Amino acid sequence: MIQENKYNHFVTNEKDATYRQMFESFAKDSIEKITELWSIDAIKSILLDDIGFSVLPLGKVKKELESGNLKVIRHNFEFDLFRSLLLTRKQSWQNPLVDLFIEQTKIHFKQ
């Protein structure tokens, strides 16, 4: 679809995000425009207005996918694996959000 220029406006937030760098290096010749926004909710708003595409965490767009307001762009491209790190202050290790992140990560990678 990128080759057809149907999706050539990439909407993203973090300039140094690993997934963004990976995607941009893959599609550098096909992306005509990149828009940087400050939050995933702002990106979703743009996508709901049918202005471009993005790479977003599934959990953040699950409702929109289930309702049919957003869709997954299917592809057969191979992407390199990348790592994500969870960093926290030593005093904050016992935190319900950190525990939830670890739990969800374990569930995801068991699938």
Side-chain angles (χ1 to χ4, degrees):
M1 291 198 188
I2 290 174
Q3 293 88 348
E4 299 167 8
N5 290 325
K6 185 172 183 181
Y7 299 101
N8 56 16
H9 180 183
F10 185 40
V11 186
T12 188
N13 59 352
E14 296 181 42
K15 189 171 188 86
D16 296 323
T18 305
Y19 68 88
R20 176 180 173 175
Q21 292 173 359
M22 176 187 64
F23 186 81
E24 284 181 351
S25 69
F26 162 76
K28 64 184 170 215
D29 297 329
S30 300
I31 299 174
E32 292 182 8
K33 182 176 181 178
I34 296 174
T35 299
E36 293 179 21
L37 298 174
W38 59 94
S39 73
I40 290 177
D41 287 333
I43 292 171
K44 286 195 304 187
S45 177
I46 292 291
L47 299 180
L48 290 168
D49 286 338
D50 202 22
I51 304 173
F53 71 99
S54 189
V55 178
L56 297 172
L58 181 60
K60 294 292 187 178
V61 293
K62 191 172 184 176
K63 284 191 281 185
E64 290 82 1
L65 291 172
E66 289 172 351
S67 69
N69 291 325
L70 290 179
K71 69 175 182 176
V72 174
I73 301 171
R74 301 284 176 205
H75 62 83
N76 58 1
F77 305 116
E78 294 278 332
F79 292 108
D80 294 333
L81 294 176
F82 61 91
R83 301 191 189 320
S84 293
L85 303 173
L86 168 65
L87 303 173
T88 184
R89 294 184 315 179
K90 188 175 182 178
Q91 299 87 349
S92 300
W93 176 245
Q94 296 300 319
N95 179 309
L97 289 175
V98 172
D99 293 339
L100 178 62
F101 176 80
I102 292 170
E103 176 186 328
Q104 291 297 310
T105 302
K106 287 179 179 178
I107 290 169
H108 174 76
F109 285 104
K110 284 182 182 176
Q111 297 176 356

